[in-house]
Amino acid sequence: MRHDTDVLLVIDMQNDFCPGGSLAVTGGDEIVPKINRLAHGFQHVVLTQDWHPAGHSSFASTHSGKQPFEMITMPYGPQTLWPDHCVQGTAGAAFHKGLDIPHAELIIRKGYRKAIDSYSAFFENDHKTPTGLGGYLKERGFTHVTLVGLAFDFCVRYSAEDARTLEFDTEVIEAACRAIDMNGSADKTRSSFAERGVVLA
Ligand code: VGL
Ligand code: ZN
C-alpha cells in the first residue's frame, strides 16, 4: 500500500479515447486491468473526465473548412483540432465500463468552457485558469502524484508537467498509458519529462 501522502491520478479513461470511440487511442482499453490493479495499491485515487459542451472550440466541426488534427491559433496560443469527443452526458464521455475503482475520492471534469481546451487536470490550455485540483490535493496534504491513463502525450503529459510545476513529486507509469503519437509527440513527452523532473516509471 502506498503512503497516505500519495495519490493516483487516473486520466480520461473514457469510451471516446478507447477503440470504437471518436478519438480512439490505439490500445486505450488494454490498460484498464492494469490501472484497476494499480489503483488497489493506492489509498487515494482521483479520476479525471474530459467533459466538453457540444460545439466546443477544440472540435474541428466547430470551425468551417477545418479537419481533425489540423492546428489553429486561439487567443491563448496554438490548439490542435479534434474530432467531436467526450460531449457532456454522452456514452462517449462515460468511463470505460471495465474501470473498477470504487474507492476513487474525486472526479475532476475539465474542458467544460466552450472557448478554451484543457488537457491538464490542473490548468486549462491558457496555462493560467486553474481547475482547482492543485488546491484540493495540497489541502488534502498529498505530496506525491502518480499518473496513468490517456493520452500519454496530451492529457497525461500536461497534467504531469503541471503537477511538477506545483511542486508535487511526480511519476508517470508509462506501461499504464497509451499515446496518440502525432508528429513525434510521444518522444517529445519523454524528453520534456526528463527536463522537468517528471519520473517515468
Ligand atoms: C485528450 C485530446 C483532446 C486527452 C483530450 O485526454 O489526452 N486529448 N482531449
Ligand atoms: Zn478533449
Side-chain angles (χ1 to χ4, degrees):
M1 216 19 133
R2 293 286 195 120
H3 291 121
D4 202 35
T5 50
D6 293 357
V7 63
L8 178 68
L9 202 52
V10 178
I11 304 291
D12 296 0
M13 287 305 299
Q14 294 165 263
N15 291 323
D16 271 341
F17 298 124
C18 290
S22 62
L23 181 39
V25 181
T26 306
D29 55 342
E30 291 168 8
I31 59 177
V32 170
K34 214 171 270 175
I35 290 174
N36 289 340
R37 260 192 319 273
L38 267 168
H40 286 297
F42 282 80
Q43 297 176 56
H44 305 292
V45 182
V46 170
L47 312 178
T48 71
Q49 197 170 24
D50 210 36
W51 196 250
H52 300 304
H56 190 255
S57 57
S58 76
F59 297 169
S61 64
T62 302
H63 306 268
S64 63
K66 295 290 178 193
Q67 295 301 315
F69 311 107
E70 282 183 39
M71 301 286 298
I72 58 164
T73 304
M74 297 288 276
Y76 54 81
Q79 170 70 48
T80 305
L81 293 177
W82 304 105
D84 290 21
H85 66 279
C86 297
V87 174
Q88 296 170 357
T90 63
F95 289 116
H96 187 283
K97 67 175 181 342
L99 200 68
D100 184 23
I101 315 179
H103 64 296
E105 295 168 355
L106 175 74
I107 298 171
I108 186 130
R109 289 173 166 169
K110 61 185 178 64
Y112 48 76
R113 287 190 178 85
K114 209 163 194 169
I116 183 166
D117 204 3
S118 187
Y119 296 149
S120 166
F122 293 94
F123 294 98
E124 303 198 13
N125 284 10
D126 61 358
H127 305 293
K128 283 200 279 279
T129 306
T131 63
L133 181 61
Y136 173 87
L137 296 182
K138 296 226 164 166
E139 190 166 359
R140 294 284 315 277
F142 297 119
T143 57
H144 190 284
V145 179
T146 301
L147 297 97
V148 297
L150 301 171
F152 174 73
D153 42 349
F154 285 90
C155 290
V156 174
R157 173 183 177 178
Y158 293 105
S159 298
E161 293 184 358
D162 283 345
R164 194 65 211 109
T165 302
L166 293 173
E167 297 183 329
F168 293 101
D169 292 331
T170 307
E171 170 193 30
V172 172
I173 302 179
E174 193 175 354
C177 299
R178 288 293 181 272
I180 294 174
D181 203 13
M182 49 189 279
N183 311 315
S185 53
D187 273 339
K188 282 180 202 154
T189 299
R190 292 182 197 101
S191 48
S192 178
F193 282 175
E195 266 165 43
R196 291 162 187 259
V198 172
V199 174
L200 201 53

